[in-house]
Amino acid sequence: SEPKESSYARAFARPREAAYMVLPEWCHIAWSTASICWACVVAKLPIVSGLLLAHLYFSDDWQAHSVASTLLVPSAFIVAMYPAALFLVLCMDIGSKWIL
């Protein structure tokens, strides 16, 4: 016997028969591309923002601080930014589910 067509496949093959609106394929391509770009930005966000915060903390006066603080303060800022990035990603994920 032939395999049965899924409702998902049927929605793309015959969109007028679907009980819901089916977005065109270019929307799916744009959404996937934007998601990949956003993931690349968010992956680097904790490191970049942590180093920027360390730069603000030291105020261009690195020589006035000990070697330990020069290593620990940027590391602490970077580690602290990972939960902030997680919160941002979760907000974006939940928000996008409400939009769609």
Side-chain angles (χ1 to χ4, degrees):
S1 115
E2 275 193 43
K4 196 172 181 184
E5 190 177 48
S6 70
S7 59
Y8 185 76
R10 206 173 23 248
F12 276 100
R14 296 182 296 279
R16 298 200 194 289
E17 295 176 17
Y20 46 86
M21 186 182 89
V22 179
L23 295 174
E25 188 177 5
W26 66 266
C27 288
H28 294 278
I29 293 169
W31 179 261
S32 296
T33 304
S35 296
I36 291 168
C37 293
W38 177 246
C40 290
V41 168
V42 170
K44 303 300 180 199
L45 183 67
I47 295 170
V48 172
S49 57
L51 291 175
L52 286 172
L53 286 172
H55 177 72
L56 290 173
Y57 176 80
F58 288 122
S59 321
D60 289 333
D61 192 18
W62 296 86
Q63 290 80 17
H65 299 278
S66 69
V67 173
S69 71
T70 305
L71 294 174
L72 289 176
V73 169
S75 299
F77 280 131
I78 290 170
V79 168
M81 292 311 295
Y82 275 100
L86 173 65
F87 180 74
L88 177 69
V89 168
L90 287 175
C91 287
M92 291 295 295
D93 183 46
I94 293 168
S96 68
K97 301 244 185 322
W98 281 97
I99 291 171
L100 298 175

